[in-house]
PDB file of all heavy atoms in Angstrom:
ATOM      1  N   ILE A 161      20.933   6.043  11.730  1.00  0.00           N
ATOM      2  CA  ILE A 161      20.460   4.734  12.122  1.00  0.00           C
ATOM      3  C   ILE A 161      21.182   4.242  13.357  1.00  0.00           C
ATOM      4  O   ILE A 161      22.389   4.023  13.311  1.00  0.00           O
ATOM      5  CB  ILE A 161      20.611   3.712  10.971  1.00  0.00           C
ATOM      6  CG1 ILE A 161      19.790   4.143   9.755  1.00  0.00           C
ATOM      7  CG2 ILE A 161      20.121   2.336  11.422  1.00  0.00           C
ATOM      8  CD1 ILE A 161      19.967   3.298   8.544  1.00  0.00           C
ATOM      9  N   ALA A 162      20.453   4.173  14.452  1.00  0.00           N
ATOM     10  CA  ALA A 162      21.040   3.712  15.712  1.00  0.00           C
ATOM     11  C   ALA A 162      21.056   2.184  15.817  1.00  0.00           C
ATOM     12  O   ALA A 162      21.956   1.585  16.429  1.00  0.00           O
ATOM     13  CB  ALA A 162      20.329   4.294  16.885  1.00  0.00           C
ATOM     14  N   ARG A 163      20.082   1.554  15.207  1.00  0.00           N
ATOM     15  CA  ARG A 163      19.974   0.101  15.295  1.00  0.00           C
ATOM     16  C   ARG A 163      19.028  -0.365  14.182  1.00  0.00           C
ATOM     17  O   ARG A 163      18.089   0.316  13.810  1.00  0.00           O
ATOM     18  CB  ARG A 163      19.405  -0.320  16.666  1.00  0.00           C
ATOM     19  CG  ARG A 163      19.386  -1.824  16.899  1.00  0.00           C
ATOM     20  CD  ARG A 163      18.753  -2.100  18.247  1.00  0.00           C
ATOM     21  NE  ARG A 163      18.689  -3.580  18.485  1.00  0.00           N
ATOM     22  CZ  ARG A 163      17.966  -4.110  19.455  1.00  0.00           C
ATOM     23  NH1 ARG A 163      17.283  -3.375  20.294  1.00  0.00           N
ATOM     24  NH2 ARG A 163      17.954  -5.446  19.597  1.00  0.00           N
ATOM     25  N   SER A 164      19.326  -1.556  13.641  1.00  0.00           N
ATOM     26  CA  SER A 164      18.491  -2.160  12.642  1.00  0.00           C
ATOM     27  C   SER A 164      18.178  -3.563  13.025  1.00  0.00           C
ATOM     28  O   SER A 164      19.110  -4.364  13.394  1.00  0.00           O
ATOM     29  CB  SER A 164      19.158  -2.126  11.283  1.00  0.00           C
ATOM     30  OG  SER A 164      18.308  -2.671  10.294  1.00  0.00           O
ATOM     31  N   MET A 165      16.910  -3.990  13.000  1.00  0.00           N
ATOM     32  CA  MET A 165      16.501  -5.318  13.465  1.00  0.00           C
ATOM     33  C   MET A 165      15.638  -5.956  12.408  1.00  0.00           C
ATOM     34  O   MET A 165      14.830  -5.296  11.694  1.00  0.00           O
ATOM     35  CB  MET A 165      15.709  -5.211  14.759  1.00  0.00           C
ATOM     36  CG  MET A 165      16.442  -4.532  15.866  1.00  0.00           C
ATOM     37  SD  MET A 165      15.375  -4.367  17.385  1.00  0.00           S
ATOM     38  CE  MET A 165      14.181  -3.180  16.800  1.00  0.00           C
ATOM     39  N   GLN A 166      15.773  -7.313  12.250  1.00  0.00           N
ATOM     40  CA  GLN A 166      14.945  -8.084  11.383  1.00  0.00           C
ATOM     41  C   GLN A 166      14.132  -9.056  12.210  1.00  0.00           C
ATOM     42  O   GLN A 166      14.672  -9.733  13.084  1.00  0.00           O
ATOM     43  CB  GLN A 166      15.773  -8.863  10.336  1.00  0.00           C
ATOM     44  CG  GLN A 166      16.341  -8.007   9.247  1.00  0.00           C
ATOM     45  CD  GLN A 166      17.563  -7.266   9.657  1.00  0.00           C
ATOM     46  OE1 GLN A 166      18.497  -7.858  10.249  1.00  0.00           O
ATOM     47  NE2 GLN A 166      17.641  -5.980   9.349  1.00  0.00           N
ATOM     48  N   PRO A 167      12.812  -9.130  12.025  1.00  0.00           N
ATOM     49  CA  PRO A 167      11.995  -9.999  12.837  1.00  0.00           C
ATOM     50  C   PRO A 167      11.998 -11.422  12.327  1.00  0.00           C
ATOM     51  O   PRO A 167      12.602 -11.778  11.308  1.00  0.00           O
ATOM     52  CB  PRO A 167      10.578  -9.383  12.706  1.00  0.00           C
ATOM     53  CG  PRO A 167      10.611  -8.886  11.268  1.00  0.00           C
ATOM     54  CD  PRO A 167      12.047  -8.347  11.086  1.00  0.00           C
ATOM     55  N   ASP A 168      11.277 -12.263  13.081  1.00  0.00           N
ATOM     56  CA  ASP A 168      11.022 -13.657  12.668  1.00  0.00           C
ATOM     57  C   ASP A 168      10.479 -13.642  11.226  1.00  0.00           C
ATOM     58  O   ASP A 168       9.584 -12.862  10.874  1.00  0.00           O
ATOM     59  CB  ASP A 168       9.994 -14.234  13.614  1.00  0.00           C
ATOM     60  CG  ASP A 168       9.804 -15.715  13.390  1.00  0.00           C
ATOM     61  OD1 ASP A 168       9.711 -16.132  12.205  1.00  0.00           O
ATOM     62  OD2 ASP A 168       9.729 -16.449  14.415  1.00  0.00           O
ATOM     63  N   ALA A 169      10.971 -14.555  10.395  1.00  0.00           N
ATOM     64  CA  ALA A 169      10.535 -14.599   8.989  1.00  0.00           C
ATOM     65  C   ALA A 169       9.045 -14.894   8.840  1.00  0.00           C
ATOM     66  O   ALA A 169       8.499 -14.637   7.778  1.00  0.00           O
ATOM     67  CB  ALA A 169      11.338 -15.621   8.208  1.00  0.00           C
ATOM     68  N   GLU A 170       8.404 -15.435   9.900  1.00  0.00           N
ATOM     69  CA  GLU A 170       7.030 -15.794   9.818  1.00  0.00           C
ATOM     70  C   GLU A 170       6.097 -14.636  10.215  1.00  0.00           C
ATOM     71  O   GLU A 170       4.911 -14.786  10.295  1.00  0.00           O
ATOM     72  CB  GLU A 170       6.748 -16.989  10.742  1.00  0.00           C
ATOM     73  CG  GLU A 170       7.445 -18.264  10.304  1.00  0.00           C
ATOM     74  CD  GLU A 170       7.095 -19.419  11.220  1.00  0.00           C
ATOM     75  OE1 GLU A 170       6.391 -19.187  12.232  1.00  0.00           O
ATOM     76  OE2 GLU A 170       7.477 -20.541  10.924  1.00  0.00           O
ATOM     77  N   SER A 171       6.636 -13.458  10.377  1.00  0.00           N
ATOM     78  CA  SER A 171       5.837 -12.306  10.771  1.00  0.00           C
ATOM     79  C   SER A 171       4.785 -11.986   9.743  1.00  0.00           C
ATOM     80  O   SER A 171       5.110 -11.549   8.642  1.00  0.00           O
ATOM     81  CB  SER A 171       6.766 -11.097  10.988  1.00  0.00           C
ATOM     82  OG  SER A 171       6.017  -9.912  11.114  1.00  0.00           O
ATOM     83  N   PRO A 172       3.474 -12.193  10.002  1.00  0.00           N
ATOM     84  CA  PRO A 172       2.482 -12.008   8.965  1.00  0.00           C
ATOM     85  C   PRO A 172       2.364 -10.580   8.440  1.00  0.00           C
ATOM     86  O   PRO A 172       2.163 -10.370   7.234  1.00  0.00           O
ATOM     87  CB  PRO A 172       1.179 -12.401   9.701  1.00  0.00           C
ATOM     88  CG  PRO A 172       1.616 -13.343  10.771  1.00  0.00           C
ATOM     89  CD  PRO A 172       2.950 -12.776  11.236  1.00  0.00           C
ATOM     90  N   SER A 173       2.484  -9.558   9.310  1.00  0.00           N
ATOM     91  CA  SER A 173       2.270  -8.191   8.859  1.00  0.00           C
ATOM     92  C   SER A 173       3.316  -7.760   7.821  1.00  0.00           C
ATOM     93  O   SER A 173       3.047  -6.897   7.008  1.00  0.00           O
ATOM     94  CB  SER A 173       2.269  -7.225  10.049  1.00  0.00           C
ATOM     95  OG  SER A 173       3.553  -7.123  10.606  1.00  0.00           O
ATOM     96  N   LEU A 174       4.522  -8.350   7.893  1.00  0.00           N
ATOM     97  CA  LEU A 174       5.571  -7.940   7.002  1.00  0.00           C
ATOM     98  C   LEU A 174       5.610  -8.732   5.705  1.00  0.00           C
ATOM     99  O   LEU A 174       6.518  -8.562   4.878  1.00  0.00           O
ATOM    100  CB  LEU A 174       6.917  -8.043   7.742  1.00  0.00           C
ATOM    101  CG  LEU A 174       7.054  -7.036   8.873  1.00  0.00           C
ATOM    102  CD1 LEU A 174       8.384  -7.275   9.610  1.00  0.00           C
ATOM    103  CD2 LEU A 174       6.984  -5.611   8.376  1.00  0.00           C
TER     104      LEU A 174
END
Side-chain angles (χ1 to χ4, degrees):
I161 299 176
R163 186 183 179 193
S164 181
M165 302 177 291
Q166 286 79 47
D168 188 317
E170 296 182 354
S171 168
S173 69
L174 293 175

